[in-house]
Amino acid sequence: MLKRFIAYYKPHKKMFALDMLASLFISLIGMVYPIVTNQMLNDLIPNRLYKQIVIAGAVVLVLYILRMLLRYFVQYYGHLVGVKMQKQMRSDLFAHLEKLPYSFFDNHETGSIMTRLTSDLFEVSELAHHGPENIILSVISIVLSFSYLATINIWLTIIIFVCAPILCFVASLMRKKMRAAFKESRAAVAEINDALESSISGIRVTKAFTNSDKEEEKFEVGNTMFVNARNKAYKAMGIFHSTTTFVTDIFNVIVLLAGGIFLYNEQIVFADYSAFIVSTNLFLGPVTTLINFMEQYQNGVTGFERFLEIIDAVPEKDDEDAEDVDKLEGHIEFKNVTYGYDDESDVLDNVSLNIEKGKTYALVGPSGGGKTTICHLIPHFYNIEQGEIFLDGKEIHKITMESLRRNIGIVQQDVYLFNSSIKENILYGRLDATDEEVYEAAKRANIHDYVMTLENGYDTVVGERGVKLSGGQKQRIAIAGIIALRPDVIIFDESTAMLDPKGRADVLDTIEKLNREYGTTILHITHYMEEAIRADRVIVIDGGKIKLDGTPREVFTHVETVKAAGLDVPQITELMLEARRDGIDLPADALDYMEGADAVEKLLK
């Protein structure tokens, strides 16, 4: 871990070296005062050398002015080095997050990730600045001060030096408890951020259901957890500081008693004893600095460990023989595919599908049946456990993820729009699209006319998650982005669920245009049977298995299917009548259902 931490200093090694050099001079200047004090007590004052006394005082003043400037340099540029290191770590972390698979974000909440990007890395940057300064310079100060004190009286110096390991031993015992406490505190902060992110994002839902008391109650759980964690951290810190300070005070008592005995036995003169007392802090000061530094060290190390937890998470990786593809035709094939999230039971169980290029497929069935999972496996968002998935006869693992996803567009039910302009959100589908292509995509998505009524037109900012737009408007902008992308496969994951009947009809018209004009393969997950009826084929998925696969009329003549699909009596009857008119043989239960439906219809009339 230390080697990885040091690597972030390399781009800033020149400034870091100057920072350390300035800190070294600050330490050296700090030794001037006790040396001058010793010289005055032993020579200048007894010999009444007033001129030299004034000169010595002036020299100390000039050096202190220089130390002030050096401290400014260390505080400013030293922290700047830490901030630049923090920036690089944050960039590395964000870039790595972009490469992580869907499964990582399934298991890590946004607030926790945000904590690692912000407050954790702030603590790391503080450690990056103060760590070397405190450790390296304190060690140098201890060595120099020991050497200087030894020139005054070697035996008193040895007494202090022998006591120092006791202080270090006590500090190391306390450090382990403090480290565990601060790590727990970090986790508690992440919990609070998770709660905040969730509550603030859902504030409109909270207000709609007047559940602010419930949200406050949920937040207080995390807030109390934070207080308890900080309580443990501060308790450990309090024990640490009080114990180490007590040991330091004992040192002063030992020096006072030992020096008094030496003075009584005439083993040291009064001037040297006075100078030694004054100079003791030259040795104990750096030792105390190192001890007090432990808190910051624990914060920084804990933050860096949490940083590494994400950096070391395994990113998505193409197979070595994966090829970049320019365009796909859109022929998709599943062969005996089984998949389950984490260690849970399989969501898909030995699924085989053949989706022809340029056709529109409706995926229907109860929630949790596996429809969305199928659509997430096609762009290789997850690795399947067994089986194979092919696009245009090529196994998806043999296609680079970037080129694969470049040819697959997804419109989800819960549309996410960035807090930027309508134009920028449409361009997100294809960043190099021209203005004309953006306008054309918007027209095909039936959103252009509305955009033109806005004061700022395509430069209108949509707000966080598109909050300034209706659900239908957000869907159309998302679809416009997909149209601008011009992918070979488009997946509509219940993208009409939030639209009114006219909005759904507009989207269906758009789907048919894409299919007809571009030959795009379309997968449409839907719970609306009037939408599924317009597809070329309907696939019924339930319990991770393909129950039915055929034309709409072939599929919807199965009574259990249409019942599960939620069609009402007239819709079911009409479907079956059309099937019979087209010469499709209906199963016995369908004929029985039709007779029952006719009776119901008569009663209703």
Side-chain angles (χ1 to χ4, degrees), residues 358-360 511-520 522 536:
K359 300 287 186 179
T360 298
I511 290 174
E512 290 179 353
K513 286 179 184 178
L514 290 169
N515 181 245
R516 182 174 61 252
E517 296 178 17
Y518 297 119
T520 306
I522 293 174
D536 295 313

Side-chain angles (χ1 to χ4, degrees), residues 139-157:
V139 170
I140 293 173
S141 296
I142 289 171
V143 171
L144 292 176
S145 61
F146 178 83
S147 301
Y148 170 66
L149 290 173
T151 64
I152 298 176
N153 188 286
I154 186 62
W155 295 110
L156 276 176
T157 305

